[in-house]
Amino acid sequence: MPDDMARPLVRGGGGSRHLEASLSEPGAPVVGILGTGDFSRSLARRLVASGYQVVVGSRNPKRLSALFPEEAEVMSQLEAAGHADLVFVAVFPEHHSTLSQLKPALAGKTLVDVSNGLQINRDGPSNAQQLADLFPESFVVKGFNTISAWTLQTGPRDGSRQVFLCSDHHKAKSAVTQLCRRMGFVPVDMGFLSSSLEIENIPFYLFPSWHIPILCTLALFIFFYLYNFTRDVLHPYITERKSVFYKMPIETVNVTLPSVALVMLALVYLPGLSASYLQLWRGTKYSLFPNWLDRWLTRRKQFGLCSFLCAVLHAVYSLSLPMRKSARYKLLTAAFKQVKQGVEDSWVDEEVWRMELYLSVGIMALGLLSLLAVTSLPSVANAVNWREFSFIQSTLGYGALFMATLHTLLFGWDRAFSWDQYRFYLPPTFLLVLILPLGALLGRLALVLPCVALRLRQIRRGWERSQYIRFTLTDGGCHDRLEDASAV
Amino acid sequence: MPDDMARPLVRGGGGSRHLEASLSEPGAPVVGILGTGDFSRSLARRLVASGYQVVVGSRNPKRLSALFPEEAEVMSQLEAAGHADLVFVAVFPEHHSTLSQLKPALAGKTLVDVSNGLQINRDGPSNAQQLADLFPESFVVKGFNTISAWTLQTGPRDGSRQVFLCSDHHKAKSAVTQLCRRMGFVPVDMGFLSSSLEIENIPFYLFPSWHIPILCTLALFIFFYLYNFTRDVLHPYITERKSVFYKMPIETVNVTLPSVALVMLALVYLPGLSASYLQLWRGTKYSLFPNWLDRWLTRRKQFGLCSFLCAVLHAVYSLSLPMRKSARYKLLTAAFKQVKQGVEDSWVDEEVWRMELYLSVGIMALGLLSLLAVTSLPSVANAVNWREFSFIQSTLGYGALFMATLHTLLFGWDRAFSWDQYRFYLPPTFLLVLILPLGALLGRLALVLPCVALRLRQIRRGWERSQYIRFTLTDGGCHDRLEDASAV
Amino acid sequence: MPDDMARPLVRGGGGSRHLEASLSEPGAPVVGILGTGDFSRSLARRLVASGYQVVVGSRNPKRLSALFPEEAEVMSQLEAAGHADLVFVAVFPEHHSTLSQLKPALAGKTLVDVSNGLQINRDGPSNAQQLADLFPESFVVKGFNTISAWTLQTGPRDGSRQVFLCSDHHKAKSAVTQLCRRMGFVPVDMGFLSSSLEIENIPFYLFPSWHIPILCTLALFIFFYLYNFTRDVLHPYITERKSVFYKMPIETVNVTLPSVALVMLALVYLPGLSASYLQLWRGTKYSLFPNWLDRWLTRRKQFGLCSFLCAVLHAVYSLSLPMRKSARYKLLTAAFKQVKQGVEDSWVDEEVWRMELYLSVGIMALGLLSLLAVTSLPSVANAVNWREFSFIQSTLGYGALFMATLHTLLFGWDRAFSWDQYRFYLPPTFLLVLILPLGALLGRLALVLPCVALRLRQIRRGWERSQYIRFTLTDGGCHDRLEDASAV
């Protein structure tokens, strides 16, 4: 849990491990670096360790060479540009123009632009495109900007780190791709230099796919919290002058969290259902979904994980209920009353069954949700095949939704039918919560009806209501991946 | 948590980002695609983004070209086959024969068969083999069938996705391997085309390594649940007419889960012990284990994770016990009785100690099991070396087994010796449960005896009782990886 | 959770799947293996599956050929050395000298040394260097020693497995790199053969980065446990002869765990703060940190995970408190007393609020810590960019530290000011615990002051107090990665 990466990464001259290597293999390829910051130094060190000869171009070679591994030669910028065929440009983009004197020396060479901007840039041109304009006779490749100096130093043990590359020059990109791989990174080809704007924006993203799910969770939380506060805290205060404000930090939160969790879980499955119904209605899969549905479909994992977080917090809050002083005081008061009234046993069988059942079902729902959450981890998701993934996310997922809905129904029991539950005419919270999940479950159930299921399968297999060629296939086992040749 | 992948993946013609690229680099290699389904479109898009020129062969080029990125040229099948040296065949396998007219155009070219069957196919021939028979003059490579259209589109950001490849033609396979890597996937060479049947079956696997462990867990759960139900619910009902059926959803489940967890944990360590004893008895490591043992050894991780799941559920169920209404009613009744009987303090020191101890040990066992479970995650397991992995799985693992066994022993306390615990002559559950774990612990202890340990180390180092060359090595630090040269 | 890897890995002659392949592709490259142990056999099998022709050199070819896949030819060592250009040396290093007769046959060929030592070797020479001395005319590459026979067999499905390679010969290393990749492994270039000592030591590492954090956790645990034991168990025993030793397994552990967790969490953030203050004081980032600070900075993740483990155990212990017999007996006694004294309700509002608040804040702190822990998983950490990582680890991290500190402050409430809390003149535990976290929070707060923050940003951007060129940049959005060109 690092606070910052501010410490000097390269221990200058401490390269005892590579003492022998300092003569460098004569045949090793030469790579140049312009710039002498943290990034340059880490890059030089990594390149040397990967068997490259490194020349560093600096305005002040004498003063700074001590900071570089001794196998790397620090020289003037012009000399460095002359020595290497592949040159990393590691100076701030606002100073790219100071390099223009190197233009003849860099002509016909590959320049790797590793720079980032100061903020997100939506309009272009990108730093890399500006560099390409500045050096029209060089071959500019964008890349490595998403890699920190820190990763460059510690990388090879750390697993696969992706490097996004793009360039308009196929050969130059190939060369950088190879170098990248030899350094232990995983190159990802992003196409032409026009993608460089996107690549330069990557470091500025702050969980873009989480914005809507988190906002959604917060909005639901605030709504349900206020609703429960009104019913459970404000109502007794106003009607009976009974102060139960102590419920605010735990009890009110704890009835709010499961509401948010269940609604969010329903929101995971509603977009898929909407898509299916839209396809049934349109009679084809070849027209695009509306934009909002498209974006919603790609956020389902995030919605699911927000739901899981709320569910886990609900579990922890619930488990902590009996340890509170308030629970203890209430129990002692109840014991006192029971003794005073001479009631030996106040056992109510219905209450007992209700609680045993909804607890039990709730724990099972949480167990299923946990399995779903674990399979959302990238390394686990990568280890399962398509059928396994869809089994978990669809079959287990609807199982979890069903269990969570049942948990809420059992919690509600018959309270929807007792008038004193409608405080301030507000229905009990669980009634509001159940709308979407019940809708999702019924909607899913309708899709299982044989006639509907068959038609949907046909559509997913390429059938179109309005099409000139009609054909029917009886099995969708191919996972909707291929086009029937007769429609080609 | 996606419901389905049915939405149209490719937004036709929306390729504003690659506008400049539509002229395509003249030197870029040309890749052909036959078929125009979801998969073809995602593939085309990805290939274009990776810098390839793409030609798509369709029966109806005019109608469908709108669905493809504008940089891809949609043309007739014959034209497409003529333009490219590497052609993806993305039509349903049952329609492969409709392509036979392309035979001359595809001669000498590389065909990538991306198809899946409709169901698991154990006998062969595979689709790829049939395609190879159909196009004997082409070089068929099997691959990409495990990749969904979805992954093709979103892939490069998503980490390493493996593509299983096989072919009888080395050069063709190399070409596809390179293309695969350039698209950001991780090619895995599976050898000759005879492996294509296996590769085609991969998408149909539904957690094959989990079947036996899950069945085992279910069987143990049902057995112990019925056993506990008989002892804890049926016995009081029959002998005293006392109805405690409310115990079924939680209390009976909660005594069943730890039993399953502990037996399953013992089943993780028994196969390794069996293997060791078998090697000691046979006096060699060079003979094969029986098949069942072999399969059991490869399922240990799954057994362990099933055990962990039961243990976690047991913890959650246990923690939820005091919040139940039934616990509350019982406590109130106890308070009433205590007041009536004038007992100020009913404290029983032995009961207190027993519970504090078994709770404490139980939590420690759960902590150790959690560490084991976390290191089972692929990305964590990949980050540790062999010695660390074996330390966790063996040392920590036996530690967890010991703690869990101790938890059960402390829970049992002296109840094995009190006659009223043998309801219906059935011994307390914990006695049944302890058999396997105690066996495993004792069996492991015996292997630590110096004479046994030494012999086992010799055997693992290649020594054979019946062998003509006898040699002894005193240290197994080399992890049994190499053969002593004198036995070479 | 495997116990050992002792079972014979290769089923000799069972290669039905590759029957056709036994003729082997004529153009396939030939790879040799010297040695016939487990590792050799798994290696042979994998090489065959990856499309190589394999020749195995053995002293006793007839006897052992049954153990190898039938596509591999087992022959004499001399023949094998003659057939292949790339030869794996898989014999124990102590027997390398027995291979000296092969010197002429191996001249000009690539030798891959896969051996490990018997123990960690800090002084050298490495096995690979000795092999290189023995075969001066061959090109020795070190590698594959970190891969077990087990991984060789099951590897390709298992995700990315890194193979560390080094050699003084560029071409030989390239050849092995390619072979490595074709076998489905991820080669990591470690440079020259001088790195082989380090590579050979890798299998002996046992969580080197965890030693100090774990020792630290243990030391803190022992200290706080004894401290709490003295105050909570010994004090009542000595002063009032009240035996509460039953508190030792759970209650004393449960007040010790959060203390350890909070101090460890503070220790995560203190090194980063120290580094910042050191840079401010020195006025430059271009001088090295003291060694201890450097090492501490690289262990922050481990400190954080130890803290998280303690926090989770604290949560589980706390949740289990009300289910204990001791809690039950105490409650019954309290009920008895309350009835006897005729107190209907013993409700103390301040106690209730205190507990509701510290519970609630504690759960939130745990939630934040869980998010931090999840993003420490390699596969999750790899999926976020630098800005996201730093947001989680720094912003969420300080949030968790703040919440955990607040949890402790609320738990303490006004007890620091009541004299009877100072048993044996020892201050309450929470006072000791709060020193470091409050220090870290205040230290962080000081860094947010505009003048300090600006200066720090300048320093990180390359500014030096003593430097001849002074310049100021107003934004650090570039993440300290590049050097300003004017300082180049």
Side-chain angles (χ1 to χ4, degrees), chain B residues 129 162 164 168-171 173 181 187-192 194-195 198 202 265 268-269 272-273 276 279 285-291 294 297-298 300-301 304-305 318-319 322 330-331 334-335 338-339 342-348 351-353 355-357 359-360 363-364 367 369 371-374 377 379-389 391-394 398 444 460-461 464 467-468 473 475 477-488, chain C residues 1-8 10-12 17-18 20-21 24-25 27 29 34-41 48-51 57-60 63-64 67 77 89-95 98 114-118 144-150 155-161 181-182 184 202-208 245-251 253 309 313 316-317 319-320 322-326 328-333 335-337 339-340 377-379:
Chain B
Q129 284 168 321
Q162 298 189 317
F164 300 96
D168 288 341
H169 303 279
H170 182 58
K171 264 197 180 167
K173 190 160 61 175
R181 205 169 274 141
V188 177
D189 192 323
M190 298 288 283
F192 295 93
S194 52
S195 303
E198 201 185 322
I202 289 175
L265 192 60
V268 172
Y269 294 101
L273 287 173
S276 299
Q279 287 180 336
K285 69 167 180 179
Y286 292 109
S287 49
L288 299 173
F289 291 141
N291 220 356
D294 226 31
L297 283 162
T298 60
R300 285 177 287 180
K301 179 177 152 183
L305 288 172
S318 301
L319 293 173
K330 280 186 183 172
L331 200 68
Q338 195 162 329
V339 171
V343 181
E344 184 177 341
D345 197 339
S346 51
W347 188 276
V348 183
E351 279 298 286
V352 167
W353 272 99
M355 189 143 193
E356 306 276 331
L357 286 176
L359 259 182
S360 181
I363 294 173
M364 283 182 229
L369 275 180
L371 291 183
L372 290 176
V374 167
L377 288 173
S379 66
V380 178
N382 283 346
V384 301
N385 68 32
W386 199 94
R387 193 175 168 219
E388 293 166 345
F389 187 78
F391 171 80
I392 291 171
Q393 300 298 348
S394 178
Y398 271 103
R444 177 71 190 153
R460 302 245 169 107
R461 197 78 176 182
E464 290 183 79
Q467 207 185 338
Y468 52 105
L473 283 159
D475 195 307
C478 212
H479 306 319
D480 192 30
R481 289 180 58 258
L482 298 172
E483 178 80 353
D484 193 279
S486 54
V488 172
Chain C
M1 302 171 175
D3 167 36
D4 52 56
M5 299 292 179
R7 65 213 197 72
V10 181
R11 309 199 143 265
R17 181 181 130 205
H18 291 287
E20 311 93 303
S24 252
E25 206 183 345
L34 298 176
T36 54
D38 280 352
F39 188 81
S40 308
R41 282 175 282 150
V48 163
S50 303
S58 163
R59 287 209 185 161
N60 192 349
R63 182 167 169 270
L64 291 160
L67 291 165
Q77 294 189 335
V89 182
V91 297
F92 282 129
E94 57 267 39
H95 296 278
T98 65
V114 304
S115 69
N116 277 317
L118 294 174
F144 287 93
N145 59 313
T146 55
I147 300 291
S148 68
W150 178 256
R157 297 259 171 82
D158 225 9
S160 70
R161 280 275 173 187
R181 205 170 273 141
R182 198 164 152 191
I202 290 174
F204 294 101
Y205 293 146
L206 191 58
F207 299 109
F245 289 99
Y246 77 90
K247 287 186 175 181
M248 285 168 62
I250 295 200
E251 284 183 36
V253 170
L309 184 69
L313 284 176
V316 177
Y317 271 101
L319 293 173
S320 76
M323 85 167 77
R324 296 167 311 146
K325 290 274 180 206
S326 52
R328 185 187 163 86
Y329 292 138
K330 280 187 184 170
L331 201 67
L332 289 174
T333 307
F336 181 87
K337 281 189 186 149
V339 170
K340 286 296 140 198
L377 287 173
S379 66

Side-chain angles (χ1 to χ4, degrees), chain C residues 155-446:
Chain C
R157 297 259 171 82
D158 225 9
S160 70
R161 280 275 173 187
Q162 297 189 319
V163 170
F164 300 97
L165 297 175
C166 72
S167 175
D168 288 340
H169 303 279
H170 183 57
K171 262 197 182 170
K173 190 159 62 174
S174 287
V176 180
T177 301
Q178 264 183 36
L179 176 136
C180 185
R181 205 170 273 141
R182 198 164 152 191
M183 287 164 79
F185 292 104
V186 177
V188 178
D189 193 324
M190 299 288 283
F192 295 93
L193 201 62
S194 52
S195 303
S196 59
L197 195 64
E198 199 185 325
I199 296 179
E200 286 177 13
N201 283 334
I202 290 174
F204 294 101
Y205 293 146
L206 191 58
F207 299 109
S209 56
W210 285 89
H211 293 179
I212 289 172
I214 287 176
L215 280 178
C216 212
T217 308
L218 284 179
L220 284 169
F221 186 89
I222 291 168
F223 167 73
F224 279 116
Y225 189 87
L226 291 177
Y227 193 86
N228 289 319
F229 176 77
T230 309
R231 279 176 45 88
D232 299 342
V233 180
L234 223 55
H235 183 265
Y237 187 69
I238 288 177
T239 57
E240 313 172 42
R241 286 282 132 195
K242 216 172 105 188
S243 157
V244 288
F245 289 99
Y246 77 90
K247 287 186 175 181
M248 285 168 62
I250 295 200
E251 284 183 36
T252 312
V253 170
N254 193 37
V255 288
T256 303
L257 283 170
S259 311
V260 180
L262 187 49
V263 174
M264 290 294 288
L265 192 60
L267 291 179
V268 172
Y269 294 100
L270 284 175
L273 287 174
S274 313
S276 298
Y277 280 105
L278 204 62
Q279 288 181 335
L280 278 171
W281 184 64
R282 287 174 171 177
T284 176
K285 69 167 180 179
Y286 292 110
S287 49
L288 299 173
F289 291 142
N291 220 356
W292 57 269
L293 183 55
D294 226 31
R295 240 180 303 150
W296 193 2
L297 283 162
T298 60
R299 300 287 182 272
R300 285 177 286 181
K301 180 177 150 182
Q302 285 77 16
F303 272 88
L305 288 172
C306 285
S307 164
F308 175 65
L309 184 69
C310 292
V312 168
L313 284 176
H314 167 52
V316 177
Y317 271 101
S318 301
L319 293 173
S320 76
L321 293 179
M323 85 167 77
R324 296 167 311 146
K325 290 274 180 206
S326 52
R328 185 187 163 86
Y329 292 138
K330 280 187 184 170
L331 201 67
L332 289 174
T333 307
F336 181 87
K337 281 189 186 149
Q338 194 162 332
V339 170
K340 286 296 140 198
Q341 292 161 4
V343 182
E344 183 175 343
D345 197 339
S346 50
W347 188 276
V348 183
D349 221 36
E350 189 185 329
E351 279 297 287
V352 167
W353 271 98
R354 170 180 165 255
M355 188 144 196
E356 305 275 332
L357 285 176
Y358 85 67
L359 259 183
S360 181
V361 172
I363 294 173
M364 282 182 231
L366 189 69
L368 287 177
L369 276 180
S370 307
L371 290 184
L372 290 176
V374 166
T375 48
S376 293
L377 287 173
S379 66
V380 179
N382 282 346
V384 300
N385 68 33
W386 199 94
R387 192 176 168 217
E388 293 167 345
F389 187 77
S390 109
F391 171 79
I392 291 171
Q393 300 298 348
S394 176
T395 311
L396 283 195
Y398 272 103
L401 182 62
F402 173 75
M403 283 303 203
T405 309
L406 191 62
H407 172 62
T408 312
L409 280 170
L410 286 167
F411 172 83
W413 208 249
D414 59 357
R415 292 177 185 194
F417 309 115
S418 97
W419 177 242
D420 62 336
Q421 293 290 326
Y422 290 77
R423 307 178 194 143
F424 290 143
Y425 305 98
L426 296 173
T429 315
F430 74 89
L431 278 188
L432 295 191
V433 170
L434 281 170
I435 298 169
L436 287 181
L438 282 178
L441 287 173
L442 293 176
R444 177 72 191 151
L445 218 61

Side-chain angles (χ1 to χ4, degrees), chain B residues 120-127 129-130 197 200-201:
Chain B
I120 210 156
N121 174 356
R122 300 218 177 278
D123 311 315
S126 66
N127 299 337
Q129 284 168 321
Q130 287 176 298
L197 195 63
E200 287 177 13
N201 283 334

Side-chain angles (χ1 to χ4, degrees), chain A residues 139-155:
Chain A
F139 310 127
V140 172
V141 178
K142 179 80 214 181
F144 288 92
N145 59 313
T146 54
I147 301 291
S148 68
W150 178 255
T151 307
L152 268 177
Q153 286 227 150
T154 62

Side-chain angles (χ1 to χ4, degrees), chain A residues 273-330:
Chain A
L273 287 174
S274 312
S276 299
Y277 281 104
L278 203 62
Q279 288 181 335
L280 280 171
W281 183 64
R282 287 172 171 177
T284 176
K285 70 167 179 178
Y286 292 110
S287 48
L288 299 174
F289 291 142
N291 220 355
W292 58 267
L293 182 55
D294 226 31
R295 239 180 303 152
W296 192 2
L297 283 162
T298 60
R299 300 288 182 270
R300 286 177 288 181
K301 179 177 151 184
Q302 285 77 16
F303 272 87
L305 288 173
C306 284
S307 165
F308 175 65
L309 183 69
C310 292
V312 168
L313 284 176
H314 167 51
V316 177
Y317 271 102
S318 301
L319 293 173
S320 75
L321 293 179
M323 85 167 74
R324 295 168 310 146
K325 290 276 180 204
S326 52
R328 184 186 165 87
Y329 291 138
K330 281 186 183 170

Side-chain angles (χ1 to χ4, degrees), chain A residues 289 294 356 387 481 488, chain B residues 7 11 39 59 204 326:
Chain A
F289 291 142
D294 226 31
E356 306 275 331
R387 193 176 167 219
R481 289 180 58 258
V488 171
Chain B
R7 63 212 199 75
R11 307 198 146 264
F39 188 81
R59 286 207 184 163
F204 293 102
S326 52

